[in-house]
Amino acid sequence: MKSGGDQGRGRRRAEVRKMFTKADKNGDGKLTPQEWKTVLNSSGVPTTMEEMEEFFASMDRDFDGRLTFEEFMGEETTLEKLFKNMDKNGDGVVTKKEFMSICKNLTDEQVKMAFTKFDTSGDDKLDYREFCEMIRKKEEERNA
């Protein structure tokens, strides 16, 4: 049986989710700074774009300029979970071997090409930022 505190948190989370979804005007599951600014300003909380940019910079952990619900709530995102799952030894980077242990459907050549394209530091590993960039580009290609 859930405690009252858990139920209250769940209810608040559901309410925030409803507001988040309402604010997400284009329905892509992510808030832009402009979408959130519009909500705050229409709720009587005058907010500048500079304040929005600062807020988004501190909360946007996948570096795409938008916030998922999990980022907005300060929770671990799907992308962070995936990266942690790939980073078998927890050193903060993903090697080709670690990458291939999860992405078994990719060939050695496909992995090599991905690392060549997204390993901007040249260390033959993907750090979290490089990993996010790779995932974002893949999403853009799929949605094009």
Side-chain angles (χ1 to χ4, degrees), residues 85-127:
N85 194 27
M86 279 188 175
D87 181 15
K88 297 290 185 203
N89 64 359
D91 64 354
V93 291
V94 173
T95 63
K96 289 177 188 168
K97 184 179 177 186
E98 288 172 325
F99 192 87
M100 290 189 77
S101 75
I102 300 294
C103 301
K104 295 178 185 345
N105 60 324
L106 297 178
T107 66
D108 287 352
E109 189 57 33
Q110 288 172 314
V111 172
K112 185 179 176 192
M113 284 174 41
F115 272 67
T116 299
K117 185 173 182 179
F118 294 103
D119 173 25
T120 56
S121 61
D123 62 359
D124 218 25
K125 300 170 186 164
L126 296 179
D127 63 24

